[in-house]
Every structure is written in C-alpha cells, then in structure tokens.
Amino acid sequence: AEPITTSFAHLAPHELRAYLGFIPETRDPDRQVWDDLLSGNLARLRSAVEIARRHLPAYSRALVRFMRREYPAPIAQRLSAGLALGYLSDPRDFSATVTIPAGEFLYGPEKQSCTLPAFRIGCYLVTQAQYAEFLKAHPEIPVPYVDEDWARVYNWDPAQRMYPAGRGNQPVVLVTWEEATAYCAWAGGRLPTQEEWERAARGVDGRSYPWGETFTPAHTNTRESGIGGPTPVGVFVEGESPSGVLDMAGNVWEWTASDYDPNTKVLRGGAWNFPAESARTFVSERSRPHNRSHAISFRIVFPIT
C-alpha cells in the first residue's frame, strides 16, 4: 500500500489556519489533529474527529479541498480524508450530475458505433446518507441487511433504520435491483442502460478505462489496491471519466436497467474485490435482481426531454 506522508509539519499555526480556512475568531488549528485526520489510522482518525467537530465547517471544507486535488497528496491520504468526512459532515453535493450530449461513441469490446440521445447522470454513486432519506419516505422498504457474517460491517440497524457509523459518504450496498429502481423513481430518474453507463464512463474514443488505456492502481479501488472494501465516493479523483463522472472503474459494481438474460441484470464498473480487468469500461457482469451484495451499488440517470 502507498505510505502515508505528512506535508504539514513545516507550517506555522497561522499558515495552517489559512490553509484550513479558519475564520479569525477561532483558535489556531491543531496540526496534530490535521495529521491524525490524514493518518489512515482509524483510532487516531476517530479521536481527531471529536476535536474537529468543534470547528466542523472549516475542517470539512479543508478535507474536501484535499480530496479534490487542490493540493498534491498520495491516495492513502485522500482516502483518510474521505473516511474522516464520513464521521464529520461531508459538504459535497452528492446529487450533482453531468450532461452527456447526444451523439455517437465507440461501444463494447469491438468498439462498434452506437448513438444515444442526451442524458444526465450522477457524478457520484448513491450514498448511504442519500438512501437513508429515501427509506424515511418509504418505511415499507427494508433496510440493507443480510443475516450473514460477511455482511456484518455493512448491515444497517433495522430498528433505527440507519447505516453503520461513519459510512454516510460511502456507496449504499446490500440493495436489490428493485430497491435501486425504486430509489431512482423516487428521485425523479431511473437506472442507466448499459449503453448510457458505458458512454458516461468511456467517452467517445473507445478507451479501456475512464482515464485511458493503461491500468493505474492509484486511479481506482480494485483488488489490486488491497483496500478490501468500498471507499467513500469520489476519493479516486484521478480516475474520473472524460465527462467528469467518478467511481466508474472499481469501488463497487453498478446495477443497470439492462437485462443480461431473462433471469439476470447487467452490472458495470468492476469492484473492490474484483481484478483490474473487470473495471474496464466495456466489461459486463450479471446478477439476479434480488441479490444483496457488499460489492454492488448504483447511480441515477435523468433523461433530457
């Protein structure tokens, strides 16, 4: 794994204050707290979060700037920033979309010409926090839960109908295709077809990964990363698609509206527990609609009329 590096030891308190965006009325930020937030060590991170909550907006804004490449940093630090934001208030707009213009693109492993009308697609996968709002509006729908040991860390609390602590900015998992479809309808959209998904991930030039032809481990969360689970959405900013869509290679598979065969649905994008080859833009996987997996999530599409 890429080692954590700290590049703030040289900053004086007033310089760190300016970096974090603290207002003049607040006390100087604690450099150790900032270093702990980026340490990748969960115990240090959780302890720092309790202190950071006293200056919540400033720390949250600084962590977002850090994740968005406004400052150079290894992916391990960006991941730690995302995990910290999961325990703080993540101010990113997870409902943000990009417009994919109408036109032709190269589709599939054979790079055949395909034409689509314009549509809008979510920049981010649907998060646990967003799905919680959906469940508040639909108390009849069960929470993501599987009564198996492997699902323990992903299971929601059925009584509180709440996701696990610190995972609000991670993609919602353990959702069936029907539940994903219901969420999209509630939000005013739908699941993407596999053609729409590939266009948003691939651009028009037939590239194998959202960023180009060569697999780059630091651009995505696949088996090669060694992370061993889903990460907060939008951590791997270098891996964004030509259209600016995030997490379209790795992290989690994504439900689509397309049928693989009469009994299964098409999945796209690869996942944290699959190899790099599965994260190529043209690769399809399949799953039964009722399946609940810790490696499947979804994003939303809005037609343009």
Side-chain angles (χ1 to χ4, degrees):
E2 189 175 3
I4 292 285
T5 60
T6 302
S7 56
F8 307 96
H10 64 288
L11 295 181
H14 73 279
E15 292 173 318
L16 186 59
R17 168 191 287 276
Y19 172 81
L20 293 176
F22 275 39
I23 61 175
E25 291 76 17
T26 59
R27 61 185 296 182
D28 284 336
D30 188 324
R31 186 165 55 216
Q32 186 61 56
V33 170
W34 181 248
D35 289 344
D36 287 348
L37 290 173
L38 302 179
S39 69
N41 180 294
L42 192 57
R44 289 175 60 189
L45 188 151
R46 292 290 299 274
S47 177
V49 159
E50 295 307 311
I51 300 173
R53 283 199 174 109
R54 303 170 193 169
H55 306 291
L56 187 57
Y59 275 111
S60 294
R61 288 194 300 266
L63 288 165
V64 169
R65 291 201 305 272
F66 198 78
M67 290 178 64
R68 287 177 174 166
R69 293 182 292 182
E70 293 184 29
Y71 304 93
I75 189 61
Q77 282 188 317
R78 294 218 186 101
L79 176 57
S80 189
L83 293 172
L85 283 168
Y87 289 99
L88 295 169
S89 176
D90 196 325
R92 290 178 291 168
D93 179 11
F94 295 123
S95 65
T97 63
V98 297
T99 297
I100 307 297
E104 295 184 26
F105 71 104
L106 299 180
Y107 174 75
E110 304 301 323
K111 299 184 179 181
Q112 299 173 329
S113 177
C114 180
T115 302
L116 291 175
F119 61 94
R120 289 189 296 123
I121 190 168
C123 293
Y124 300 98
L125 291 152
V126 172
T127 66
Q128 304 260 33
Q130 287 175 302
Y131 198 75
E133 293 302 310
F134 164 67
L135 289 183
K136 287 179 184 178
H138 290 279
E140 77 281 3
I141 295 180
V143 299
Y145 187 93
V146 176
D147 190 15
E148 299 283 352
D149 286 343
W150 61 263
R152 188 172 302 166
V153 298
Y154 306 99
N155 281 335
W156 288 41
D157 183 327
Q160 299 295 323
R161 292 178 67 81
M162 182 52 61
Y163 50 82
R167 292 179 180 262
N169 63 354
Q170 295 188 19
V172 64
V173 293
L174 306 182
V175 291
T176 67
W177 183 87
E178 291 88 352
E179 290 164 353
T181 299
Y183 175 94
C184 291
W186 171 77
R190 57 172 172 77
L191 289 173
T193 66
Q194 65 170 331
E195 292 84 4
E196 289 170 332
W197 188 96
E198 185 170 325
R199 168 63 180 86
R202 197 175 199 180
V204 299
D205 57 7
R207 59 185 60 193
S208 296
Y209 294 96
W211 56 86
E213 284 303 314
T214 304
F215 177 73
T216 307
H219 287 9
T220 178
N221 177 18
T222 57
R223 186 185 296 167
E224 288 79 3
S225 72
I227 294 173
T231 55
V233 300
V235 168
F236 294 88
V237 287
E238 291 91 347
E240 70 181 4
S241 79
S243 301
V245 186
L246 293 155
D247 292 314
M248 299 203 86
N251 209 0
V252 285
W253 288 103
E254 301 183 32
W255 289 116
T256 74
S258 300
D259 293 332
Y260 192 98
D261 59 36
N263 299 311
T264 59
K265 297 293 182 179
V266 171
L267 302 174
R268 286 300 193 102
W272 58 268
N273 55 348
F274 278 71
E277 291 77 11
S278 298
R280 290 175 295 177
T281 54
F282 54 84
V283 170
S284 296
E285 187 55 74
R286 60 179 172 173
S287 179
R288 294 186 180 276
H290 62 267
N291 185 29
R292 296 184 184 275
S293 169
H294 55 355
I296 301 177
S297 188
F298 65 99
R299 74 179 72 227
I300 190 168
V301 152
F302 300 93
I304 296 178
T305 55

